[in-house]
Amino acid sequence: MNKHTLADLASRIGQDLLRIKFPLLLTVIYFTAAFLFTGEICPLRILTGFPCPGCGLTRAGFFVLTGQWGCAAQMNPTVFLWIPALAALFFTRYLFPEAKRYAYAFLIVTAVFTLICYTVRMALLFPEPPLTYYRENLLSVFMNSIL
């Protein structure tokens, strides 16, 4: 383990945030514009109307932070893998770089499990909440306008 002071850690995080300031700004602009114009933020839902594999993760994260574990599991049960996966990426980036391959392996397993969970949830739950269909999607609007 590398020895880092708190000031070093804060400096490295600050440098990383400065390095990605434009993508972060574009992301905020996209989310704001998408929500204002469609009431949605997911690009897949906006384009096709179908929920994406990460559907419910933001709401599930909120429920985890507020101690509502059951609600979090209902929104998207993979949140319980994503939280440690993101924490592992953070720790390997800033404190334990020698363990990076393990964090990446965990991230890949988490992504694969998310896709499996999505497939099962779509087969069992769709179109019931939280996996609802967005009827005003761009593909549907476009197809209706040309037919």
Side-chain angles (χ1 to χ4, degrees):
M1 176 175 136
N2 295 335
K3 299 284 183 183
H4 297 289
T5 65
L6 193 55
D8 291 338
L9 183 61
S11 174
R12 290 186 63 208
I13 293 170
Q15 289 171 357
D16 282 351
L17 288 174
L18 280 175
R19 192 174 302 121
I20 62 169
K21 65 183 170 202
F22 292 116
L24 283 176
L25 179 63
L26 290 175
T27 301
V28 168
I29 291 170
Y30 163 77
F31 282 151
T32 304
F35 188 76
L36 288 175
F37 289 111
T38 67
E40 297 286 335
I41 60 171
C42 177
L44 186 65
R45 273 178 66 90
I46 292 170
L47 291 174
T48 69
F50 292 101
C52 72
C55 186
L57 274 175
T58 302
R59 291 171 285 173
F62 172 78
F63 286 131
V64 166
L65 290 174
T66 58
Q68 300 175 60
W69 311 105
C71 292
Q74 269 188 316
M75 285 296 128
N76 193 325
T78 63
V79 71
F80 299 109
L81 289 174
W82 280 106
I83 292 171
L86 295 174
L89 289 175
F90 176 84
F91 285 114
T92 57
R93 170 76 178 140
Y94 297 107
L95 300 174
F96 307 104
E98 64 277 359
K100 191 178 291 187
R101 67 181 175 162
Y102 299 112
Y104 287 157
F106 186 50
L107 181 66
I108 290 168
V109 168
T110 300
V112 168
F113 187 74
T114 299
L115 291 172
I116 292 168
C117 186
Y118 171 70
T119 304
V120 170
R121 291 173 76 211
M122 285 294 284
L124 298 177
L125 298 177
F126 184 76
E128 298 299 319
L131 300 174
T132 56
Y133 182 74
Y134 176 59
R135 297 196 183 286
E136 300 299 318
N137 66 77
L138 294 179
L139 184 61
S140 176
V141 170
F142 175 73
M143 293 303 286
N144 288 337
S145 70
I146 62 170
L147 296 178

